[in-house]
Amino acid sequence: MPSLFEPYQLHDLTLPNRLVMGPMTRAKATPEGVPTPMMATHYAQRASAGLIITEGTWPERRGQGYFDIPGIATQEQQDAWASITDAVHAADGRIFLQMEHTGRVGHEVNSGGNQLCAPSNVPADFKIFTRESGLTQMTTDLHVLSTEEVWEVIDKYGKAAKRTKAAGFDGIELHGASGYLPHQFLSDTSNLRDDDFGGTPHKRTRFMIEVLKCLIDAWGDSHRIGVKISPGILYNGSVENEVEETYTALISQLNELDLAYVAFQTPESLRSLAGQDNDDIAGGEIWHRFPYEFIRENYNGTVIASGDLTKELAQNALDAGKADLFVFGRAYMSNPDLVERMQNDWPLTEVDMRRGYGGGEEGYNDYPTWQEQQAQQQQGPVG
C-alpha cells in the first residue's frame, strides 16, 4: 500500500510526500494587498510539505472581499511574492498560488471602496469582518457583470497568472469553491443569468472553464494549473439544487483540460472518509456518492481531498484509492514540521485560534518544531 510519506509524481513536479499545506487566509498582507516579509518566513517554515498552496490571492481589487488579504495584480505584489517563493524554494519546497476572486462575498470597505461584482443581483446574507466597523453585513450593493464584463474579469485572471509565473510560483490553484465567484457562477441560486454564462448546468460551468483556459494559456502548461471545487457545500450563502447535473458537466470538461489536479471540500468529507452514514447531510441520496466516489469515478487525474482530516483518515482514504493527496489546514498553522510530526507519531501542537488572524509574528511564526520544543524542555526555565 502507498504511504502518505512516499513521493508522488504530480506530472513533471516531484512531491516528496502526499501532505498538502492548505490555503488559509491569515490577513498578514498590507491593506493594499502587498505580501509582507513575515509571510515569507511562515511559508518557508512549512516547506517540508509535499506541496504548499497559498492563502487565497485576488487577481483584481474587486475580488478582495476580506481585509488584509494579498493580491497578485500589481508589480509591487508580484515582487513581494517573489521573495516568498524564493524563500520556499531555498528551503526545498514547492508552492502554488491559490487565485481567489470573492465576487459577492465581502464588503467594499475591504476592497478599497470598489463595488463588488457578481453574476446576478443575489447578495450573500452573511456578515464579514472589516477593520473599520468590525463584524458587518456583507454588501448588498452588487454590480451585475454584463457578458462583456465577464470576459474582462476572465482576462484579469490571465494577467494575474502571468504575474504569478513571473513571481516564481510552481503553479496556480483556481479557487472555484466556498461560494466565491466561480462557485457563484456554478450555483443555480446565485447565477440567474440567461446568457452564455447561465441558464443551464453546462452554461453555468462556462465561467470556470474559460478562466481555467485563460490560466493555462498564460502559464503555457496545463499541468501547472489545478482547481478546487466544493460540490453542494453550504458556505458563504452558496446553495446548489442541481449538484450532480452541474458537476457532471464540469468534470467532463476538466478532464479535457488535463489539469494538475482537482481538489475538493464538501460538508461530508470527514464522514465519507470514516465510512459513517451521511443521511443527515443536506443533499439527500446524492451524498452517498459525493465527493470521493463521484470524483474518482469521473475525473481521470490527480485528486486532492480536504476537510477535517487526520493522519489516520488520510491514510485510510489513500489505501482505499479515494484520493491521492491530502490537505491539512489548521494543523499547519501550529505545526510547521507537520510532516515530521506525523511521520514519527510525535504529538501535534494545538492551534490558538485567538491569534489566528491579523496582527504580527505572534501566533503566526512563533510555533516551535518538535525538535525546538524538546530543546526548550531540556534547557528548563530561564532564571
Side-chain angles (χ1 to χ4, degrees), residues 72 77-86 89 95 97 160-170 219:
I72 185 67
Q77 292 165 351
Q78 176 184 314
D79 292 344
W81 275 120
S83 67
I84 294 173
T85 60
D86 286 347
H89 292 148
I95 183 168
L97 178 134
K162 292 179 180 178
R163 289 194 179 279
T164 303
K165 186 174 184 179
F169 282 94
D170 297 300
W219 197 279

Side-chain angles (χ1 to χ4, degrees), residues 167-180:
F169 282 94
D170 297 300
I172 295 173
E173 176 180 283
L174 172 65
H175 199 339
S178 303
Y180 299 127

Side-chain angles (χ1 to χ4, degrees), residues 101-159:
H101 193 306
T102 56
R104 69 176 185 172
V105 173
H107 196 283
E108 54 267 15
V109 170
N110 291 336
S111 61
N114 291 284
Q115 186 181 24
L116 303 189
C117 61
S120 299
N121 190 22
V122 184
D125 189 16
F126 282 84
K127 291 185 177 181
I128 196 165
F129 189 85
T130 66
R131 286 206 176 279
E132 288 77 1
S133 305
L135 200 60
T136 304
Q137 175 66 38
M138 286 189 185
T139 187
T140 58
D141 182 22
L142 300 174
H143 174 74
V144 177
L145 295 165
S146 68
T147 304
E148 181 180 358
E149 288 171 332
V150 172
W151 286 109
E152 291 172 358
V153 172
I154 293 170
D155 182 63
K156 289 179 180 178
Y157 271 101
K159 291 177 179 176

